[in-house]
């Protein structure tokens, strides 16, 4: 038998870790939107120090030449950008501790449900890989492909954690009312997840183009960035209507068939709220001169949307009597 207190501890730690990963995605978006990615040009130190400087006078007089010799085009010290990037690293380190505690607490499932244990353990190793990938991002001088890969690995870590926590709650999820779920609903949900991933993939291409445009404008004159947006931006923008109406149909079906206090309805409401917020953030990027706050919000919402869809999929999987996933 699983100790209830130990199971609750695993669930709390896993949930906290999921939110922490989403938080680091948000912070990473802020770093990218503000152009602070090279605020610390080296890794794991920052300007050769474990605690970054607060003033340029604390750096060697020839620090420009030092980092130019290492392959960095321009390394001008900016305390705001430096400490923004450093905060991003500190949050990433905290996730390492949280994921270790989550993996350690999952050992209670080793005898009864090895899959849950191995999911948590895999997440731990992936976070280690993510840390190495972060250093590779810095070493690559912020190549767009490396940044995108860094984000996709974070998305995969979240999916593993959601799966592990949900699997540990199989008895609870199996008790949900899912008699109304039809093969058509399950198919539409899978399609919704698929098109969300397509939308995220297109979003990464847009973001790579925006990074190039932002660099050309030295991260100022944001109201002119839109003039240089590539075709994929307009495809990405139009695709959002498909996302909206597909998920709206799913939420409507859930609303019609479950009780007001059902977990499924709460997830459906949350999903629609996330989609509306993502669309509003996207509209502000398109129509309001690409405000800096909207880019990380838009990125975070995209990741949360897929997480909510994936959690809904797992809930319905167990609620309809299926035991393997």
């Amino acid at each position: 038998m699983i100790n209830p207190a130990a199971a609750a501890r695993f669930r709390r730690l896993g949930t906290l870790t999921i939110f922490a990963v989403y938080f680091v995605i948000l912070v990473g978006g802020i770093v990218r939107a503000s152009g602070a990615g090279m605020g610390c040009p080296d890794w794991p130190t920052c300007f050769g120090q474990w605690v970054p400087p607060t003033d340029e006078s604390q750096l060697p007089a020839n620090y420009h030449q030092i980092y130019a010799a290492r392959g960095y085009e321009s390394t001008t010290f900016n305390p705001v950008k430096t400490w923004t990037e450093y905060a991003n690293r500190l949050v990433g380190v905290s996730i390492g501790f949280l994921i270790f505690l989550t993996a350690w607490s999952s050992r209670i499932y080793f005898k009864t449900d090895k899959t849950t244990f191995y999911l948590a353990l895999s997440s731990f190793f992936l976070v280690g890989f993510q840390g190495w990938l972060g250093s590779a991002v810095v070493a690559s001088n912020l190549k767009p492909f490396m940044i995108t890969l860094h984000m996709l690995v974070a998305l995969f870590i979240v999916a593993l954690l959601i799966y592990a926590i949900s699997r540990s709650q199989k008895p609870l999820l199996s008790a949900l009312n899912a008699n109304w779920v039809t093969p058509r609903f399950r198919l539409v949900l899978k399609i919704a997840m698929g098109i969300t991933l397509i939308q995220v993939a297109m979003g990464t291409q847009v973001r790579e183009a925006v990074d190039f445009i932002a660099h050309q404008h030295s991260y100022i004159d944001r109201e002119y960035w839109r003039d240089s947006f590539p075709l994929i931006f307009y495809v990405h923008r139009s695709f959002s209507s498909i996302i909206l109406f597909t998920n709206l149909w799913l939420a409507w079906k859930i609303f019609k068939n479950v009780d007001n206090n059902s977990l499924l309805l709460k997830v459906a409401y949350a999903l629609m709220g996330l989609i509306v917020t993502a669309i509003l953030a996207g509209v502000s990027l398109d129509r309001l001169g690409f405000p800096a706050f909207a880019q990380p919000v838009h990125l975070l919402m995209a990741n949360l949307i897929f997480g909510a869809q994936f959690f809904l999929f797992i809930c319905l999987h167990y609620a309809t009597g299926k035991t393997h996933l």
Side-chain angles (χ1 to χ4, degrees):
M1 290 289 293
I2 299 295
N3 184 313
R9 184 164 53 251
F10 168 70
R11 184 171 65 253
R12 287 194 299 270
L13 281 169
T15 303
L16 179 61
T17 304
I18 290 171
F19 281 111
V21 174
Y22 280 128
F23 181 66
V24 81
I25 289 172
L26 175 63
V27 175
I30 294 171
V31 167
R32 194 166 184 182
S34 63
M38 291 306 293
C40 291
D42 47 353
W43 193 96
T45 57
C46 184
F47 283 103
Q49 303 177 29
W50 289 106
V51 178
T54 57
D55 189 85
E56 193 171 22
S57 62
Q58 297 172 282
L59 294 171
N62 65 334
Y63 79 93
H64 290 287
Q65 291 79 9
I66 293 174
Y67 287 100
R70 298 179 185 179
Y72 301 105
E73 297 177 3
S74 176
T75 309
T76 300
F77 176 74
N78 181 312
V80 174
K81 291 184 177 182
T82 292
W83 279 88
T84 300
E85 166 58 15
Y86 188 66
N88 181 41
R89 294 184 182 186
L90 291 179
V91 174
V93 170
S94 68
I95 288 176
F97 288 112
L98 285 172
I99 197 68
F100 171 76
L101 292 174
T102 300
W104 177 254
S105 64
S106 72
R107 72 191 187 281
I108 61 173
Y109 293 99
F110 184 73
K111 292 183 178 179
T112 59
D113 187 3
K114 284 184 171 60
T115 300
T116 297
F117 170 75
Y118 286 124
L119 283 169
L121 189 62
S122 298
S123 300
F124 171 70
F125 286 118
L126 267 178
V127 165
F129 172 73
Q130 182 77 327
W132 171 84
L133 192 58
S135 68
V137 168
V138 174
S140 73
N141 206 8
L142 302 183
K143 285 186 178 178
F145 170 77
M146 295 297 292
I147 297 173
T148 298
L149 180 61
H150 195 52
M151 188 274 290
L152 291 176
V153 171
L155 187 63
F156 188 58
I157 290 171
V158 169
L160 286 180
L161 287 169
I162 290 174
Y163 180 16
I165 300 302
S166 301
R167 187 180 176 91
S168 72
Q169 299 299 302
K170 262 194 297 186
L172 177 64
L173 299 181
S174 299
L176 294 171
N177 174 25
N179 295 328
W180 53 273
V181 177
T182 63
R184 182 184 180 189
F185 184 92
R186 285 195 290 266
L187 176 61
V188 173
L189 177 56
K190 291 177 182 177
I191 292 173
M193 293 169 62
I195 61 179
T196 298
L197 288 176
I198 293 172
Q199 182 74 329
V200 169
M202 287 193 292
T204 61
Q205 294 179 53
V206 172
R207 197 168 67 251
E208 289 173 10
V210 168
D211 285 347
F212 179 75
I213 295 167
H215 183 70
Q216 285 185 317
H217 287 266
S218 300
Y219 292 90
I220 59 176
D221 299 326
R222 289 175 174 269
E223 63 272 19
Y224 300 113
W225 293 7
R226 189 180 184 277
D227 298 336
S228 305
F229 283 175
L231 176 62
I232 190 67
F233 168 79
Y234 299 98
V235 177
H236 178 70
R237 183 182 65 180
S238 301
F239 206 66
S240 62
S241 60
I242 300 175
I243 301 283
L244 174 63
F245 289 114
T246 302
N247 287 277
L248 189 59
W249 183 86
L250 292 169
W252 176 66
K253 285 291 186 182
I254 294 173
F255 178 78
K256 282 182 57 181
N257 291 283
V258 303
D259 297 332
N260 289 336
N261 294 324
S262 172
L263 174 63
L264 297 177
L265 186 60
K266 294 175 182 177
V267 174
Y269 282 150
L271 178 59
M272 293 312 303
L274 294 170
I275 291 172
V276 171
T277 303
I279 291 174
L280 290 176
V283 169
S284 70
L285 291 170
D286 183 24
R287 299 297 180 182
L288 300 180
F290 221 86
F293 76 88
Q295 192 176 3
V297 170
H298 191 62
L299 172 65
L300 177 63
M301 292 303 107
N303 283 272
L304 286 169
I305 287 167
F306 181 77
Q309 290 172 332
F310 185 58
F311 179 62
L312 181 60
F313 173 77
I314 294 174
C315 288
L316 293 177
H317 186 86
Y318 290 134
T320 52
K322 296 179 175 60
T323 56
H324 299 289
L325 180 62

